[in-house]
Amino acid sequence: MRVSYDFTGHVVLIAGAGSGLGLAMVHACLAAGAQVVASDIATDALAAINHPKLVWSRLDITDSRAVTAHIEASASRFGTLDAAVLASGVQRRVLVEAMSDDDWLAHINVNLNGIFYLVRALFPVMKKSRRGAIIVFTSGLATAGWPGATAYGASKAGLIALVKSAAQELRPYGVRINAVSPGIMHTPLFHDSANADEISMYEKALGVSEPADVTPMLMHLISDGAATITGNVVERRLIPQANS
């Protein structure tokens, strides 16, 4: 059986769209006929896409004023924003005793504050339309932990609390927000943070998936097929390899 989505006439905003899962969602939403509004601090991959329904811009989500201006301008241009996939994130492995204030704040400012700025700016747009779906991304490291992942895990745990309360505020307006823990993927975020031994361990034990393997679940969550799903943490668990 095959599932297909028709997002024709709908507008999907994707932050962190320049690589990894965000970039995979750009391609998936364009293929489904959506108008895609994409942003990232690194835009080379977006600039290489030649598609009439893609508009892209450089955005630093730690700049709250820039975030608000981006959301307001996008909503004004296209009339509304039907869905938002907020995939921006950073991860650097630093042990607690070696962690500087800047190391800690780099994770909190992007992974938590920046995502909050995006969600906050989306509230009035989607509440006015009385529809919409937002996805943010948490991580298994928020609860399982890993050496050197203290700042990353803490920032991702904070997003769970954000989603739980934001969902309650948005529910009366028909707007949904969920957190997704997508599992381990071949993305720059993973490869730039994990060492070779860790990558090998995950590949042998669980396998490491491609971003395109995760997009069908995300497409469902922003579609009307998930109209009753909000305030949840959706965890995509990888199944251990048979020889692990």
Side-chain angles (χ1 to χ4, degrees):
M1 293 182 286
R2 295 176 61 87
V3 175
S4 62
Y5 294 93
D6 182 1
F7 289 174
T8 304
H10 296 280
V11 184
V12 181
L13 180 139
I14 304 175
S19 65
L21 193 49
L23 185 59
M25 279 298 288
V26 169
H27 289 292
C29 290
L30 289 173
Q35 171 65 56
V36 176
V37 180
S39 65
D40 204 318
I41 201 164
T43 58
D44 287 353
L46 296 173
I49 300 173
N50 182 20
H51 197 289
K53 289 191 174 181
L54 172 66
V55 296
W56 59 268
S57 60
R58 184 183 185 280
L59 178 66
D60 178 358
I61 66 167
T62 67
D63 183 340
S64 64
R65 292 184 178 180
V67 167
T68 299
H70 173 66
I71 299 295
E72 290 179 348
S74 299
S76 176
R77 178 174 179 178
F78 297 107
T80 190
L81 299 171
D82 298 291
V85 180
L86 310 181
S88 305
V90 297
Q91 181 179 186
R92 293 194 287 270
R93 299 289 172 81
V94 184
L95 297 176
V96 170
E97 288 182 284
M99 189 178 301
S100 68
D101 292 355
D102 287 345
D103 291 328
W104 174 263
L105 290 173
H107 291 83
I108 300 302
N109 285 337
V110 175
N111 298 349
L112 186 55
N113 293 345
I115 299 300
F116 166 72
Y117 298 150
L118 286 160
V119 170
R120 180 177 63 184
L122 287 163
F123 258 54
V125 174
M126 291 186 171
K127 285 170 68 176
K128 181 179 179 180
S129 299
R130 302 193 72 86
R131 70 175 189 273
I134 303 169
I135 295 175
V136 308
F137 293 91
T138 184
S139 167
L141 295 181
T143 53
W146 193 265
T150 305
Y152 179 76
S155 66
K156 291 296 183 176
L159 290 178
I160 296 174
L162 184 156
V163 162
K164 293 293 184 180
S165 293
Q168 297 294 325
E169 296 181 25
L170 291 170
R171 190 187 302 271
Y173 299 91
V175 181
R176 300 178 289 110
I177 182 169
N178 291 287
V180 172
S181 180
I184 306 158
M185 298 174 291
H186 285 296
T187 65
L189 188 74
F190 175 57
H191 283 279
D192 290 348
S193 62
N195 60 40
D197 289 341
E198 184 180 350
I199 294 171
S200 176
M201 180 273 293
Y202 278 123
E203 287 177 336
K204 291 176 181 178
L206 297 174
V208 181
S209 61
E210 298 298 329
D213 298 329
V214 184
T215 58
M217 176 178 66
L218 305 180
M219 296 290 278
H220 174 69
L221 286 173
I222 63 174
S223 77
D224 57 9
T228 61
I229 301 175
T230 190
N232 289 284
V233 178
V234 181
E235 187 172 7
R236 178 178 176 271
R237 287 183 175 273
L238 297 179
I239 299 172
Q241 302 281 2
N243 60 352
S244 63

